[in-house]
Amino acid sequence: MPTSLQTKAIGDGTTVDKLYYAVYNSDKTEHITSLDGVEPVPVTTVDGKKGWNLTLRLVKNYKYHIFFWAQKEGAPYTFDKTNATVKVDYSGKANDETRDAFCYLATIDVPSDMQNFQPNGGKPFELRRPFAQINFGASDYNMIQELELSVESTISVNGLPDTYSFLTGEISGSATTNLALAAIPYPERLVVNNDATSYGYVGMNYMLAPENEYDAEGNVKEVREVNDIDVTFAYNDAFVELEIPNVPYQRNFRTNIIGNF
């Protein structure tokens, strides 16, 4: 996750400040409660990304599964170690980048000779978003700014998964968003067809998405989910409501929906 030292952009992960973890046995059937309670220490790694150090006493000749979940403290997620799930609450306000979160399930085989043992070869475990990001961009963004319009927006989506399983990566549930109108937290441009001066964001929200599939070279396949999205814009006591069918989205990717505001 980028550090806050970089130029701030919407949904860049810099709001994340809390790491949760849970350790499970070799066949993923039992939560090892004796390893709970260690507070991860925040660090900034040498490659300029935000991270944590976690020090646990592990038994040699044993395999562990450790799930990591990073979020903004107080974000609308319930971290349940007993059921090995994260529950997502789709209520609150729209365009809230503090809903950003990242996760990873690490498998650690502890050898009998621990003298030179380093998990993951000494490299940090890299967390990724379990969410897709659904954005709306205005092609007449310059006019919005010129007229000093205060644009708020929200989306409505049915049938969204709201439960993430630690140990399988699967998502489940069928929830409906209940997000109040809100403005983008600060202006941000987006580039469309090499045009970096005309377009700007007027909506940004997160939805749980299935795990990605990869080809033989390790590249992400384009296997996208599709859902219908209703969007509402409000400005100067006026409202614009749009129904957008078959919106494609994919985990850890952005879907940009562009139009003339």
Side-chain angles (χ1 to χ4, degrees), residues 86-97:
V86 173
K87 190 79 170 182
V88 176
D89 183 356
Y90 287 110
S91 63
K93 67 176 184 178
N95 304 318
D96 183 4
E97 63 173 352

Side-chain angles (χ1 to χ4, degrees), residues 21-32 35-36 54 56 58 62-68 81 84 104-110 125 166-168:
Y21 75 95
V23 184
Y24 297 86
N25 64 352
S26 58
D27 59 2
K28 301 181 180 179
T29 59
E30 182 181 350
H31 168 219
I32 304 176
L35 292 174
D36 287 350
L54 177 66
L56 299 175
L58 305 180
Y62 196 79
K63 178 189 289 187
Y64 295 87
H65 301 281
I66 306 179
F67 181 74
F68 302 102
K81 297 181 181 182
Y104 184 75
L105 178 65
T107 299
I108 299 178
D109 280 299
V110 184
F125 294 110
F166 290 2
L167 303 176
T168 65

